[in-house]
Amino acid sequence: ETGVTQTPRHLVMGMTNKKSLKCEQHLGHNAMYWYKQSAKKPLELMFVYNFKEQTENNSVPSRFSPECPNSSHLFLHLHTLQPEDSALYLCASSHGQGKGYGYTFGSGTRLTVV
Amino acid sequence: QKEVEQNSGPLSVPEGAIASLNCTYSDRGSQSFFWYRQYSGKSPELIMFIYSNGDKEDGRFTAQLNKASQYVSLLIRDSQPSDSATYLCAVGGNQGGKLIFGQGTELSVKP
């Protein structure tokens, strides 16, 4: 499989549940990103990883916990979420260095918190 | 001031017309500029990138960059209903690989 793969595509979870989102890239990129996109709102950067080291945490609540075991895999662990966390969660990857290479996005996980 | 600004729209154009989408950015050190298309409920898809001042054409799409004015635009010629989507401008180059996205412009092409 090529590109950036996100699983699951859809997720419904209760506020007391714990779940994880998975992202895998097959592009040889060394930077990976998590974005949140709520309805009719711009992309919100959550986390940035370069060579599996976290380089940015954009004031994200602790109920979101990222994990990057290697440059090809990125997880977002979710626990005790709130209904306002319902959104499309997008993973992206890029070469990460230099003058700014374009991102390749995964298909996203549509999360609904009930 | 937002780092990357776009008119949110919606921008409505008739089929066959030229759609013009605009974006301004605040960081003069920016070096790379991207246009993404996002259909409703889908993820963004890269359609154009430009690094140098001037125009860059790819099929019906033309990206225009003016670094002195800190302005980048996307022209879509012979617009089709299938071009109806939100177009995101992204700017990068001064913060490692990180891109800064605008809020997107919604384009509607009417048959």
Side-chain angles (χ1 to χ4, degrees):
Chain A
E1 196 167 352
T2 59
V4 180
T5 304
Q6 283 188 249
T7 54
R9 294 292 301 273
H10 300 273
L11 178 62
V12 179
M13 60 186 288
M15 289 189 283
T16 58
N17 290 159
K18 289 185 181 181
K19 296 285 184 184
S20 296
L21 309 184
K22 180 182 176 182
C23 177
E24 184 173 359
Q25 59 97 1
H26 306 269
L27 300 168
H29 290 166
N30 46 46
M32 297 187 79
Y33 312 82
W34 279 117
Y35 279 87
K36 175 185 177 183
Q37 189 175 39
S38 303
K40 302 292 186 182
K41 288 188 177 181
L43 289 167
E44 297 175 47
L45 178 63
M46 300 176 73
F47 302 103
V48 180
Y49 279 83
N50 264 300
F51 294 100
K52 76 177 184 178
E53 297 297 323
Q54 186 180 122
T55 56
E56 187 155 341
N57 175 338
N58 218 19
S59 301
V60 180
S62 60
R63 58 186 184 269
F64 295 92
S65 175
E67 179 189 0
C68 189
N70 54 61
S71 294
S72 299
H73 293 85
L74 185 65
F75 296 89
L76 188 63
H77 304 300
L78 315 171
H79 64 98
T80 59
L81 294 191
Q82 304 298 310
E84 61 264 30
D85 297 322
S86 299
L88 179 67
Y89 287 84
L90 291 162
C91 173
S93 70
S94 74
H95 285 291
Q97 302 295 323
K99 63 179 178 179
Y101 293 88
Y103 292 178
T104 301
F105 283 90
S107 300
T109 294
R110 174 71 61 186
L111 174 66
T112 303
V113 181
V114 296
Chain B
Q1 182 191 8
K2 292 180 184 175
E3 293 184 76
V4 179
E5 290 209 55
Q6 298 179 252
N7 288 328
S8 58
L11 172 66
S12 184
V13 300
E15 184 175 356
I18 296 175
S20 177
L21 303 160
N22 305 314
C23 173
T24 58
Y25 59 95
S26 60
D27 186 349
R28 279 201 172 274
S30 299
Q31 301 179 54
S32 52
F33 308 86
F34 303 86
W35 283 100
Y36 285 82
R37 177 177 62 201
Q38 186 175 23
Y39 292 112
S40 180
K42 304 294 185 183
S43 61
E45 170 194 13
L46 180 65
I47 54 172
M48 288 287 288
F49 63 90
I50 186 167
Y51 297 150
S52 305
N53 276 330
D55 294 0
K56 179 180 178 182
E57 188 174 318
D58 184 1
R60 297 187 294 113
F61 298 98
T62 299
Q64 299 175 317
L65 175 62
N66 183 327
K67 289 186 178 181
S69 300
Q70 295 174 243
Y71 175 91
V72 58
S73 65
L74 179 70
L75 301 178
I76 306 175
R77 290 182 300 282
D78 188 23
S79 296
Q80 302 296 309
S82 58
D83 295 325
S84 298
T86 296
Y87 289 79
L88 302 170
C89 172
V91 174
N94 235 18
Q95 300 183 45
K98 193 175 81 172
L99 299 183
I100 307 298
F101 285 84
Q103 70 270 37
T105 297
E106 184 182 350
L107 172 66
S108 177
V109 181
K110 303 294 187 185

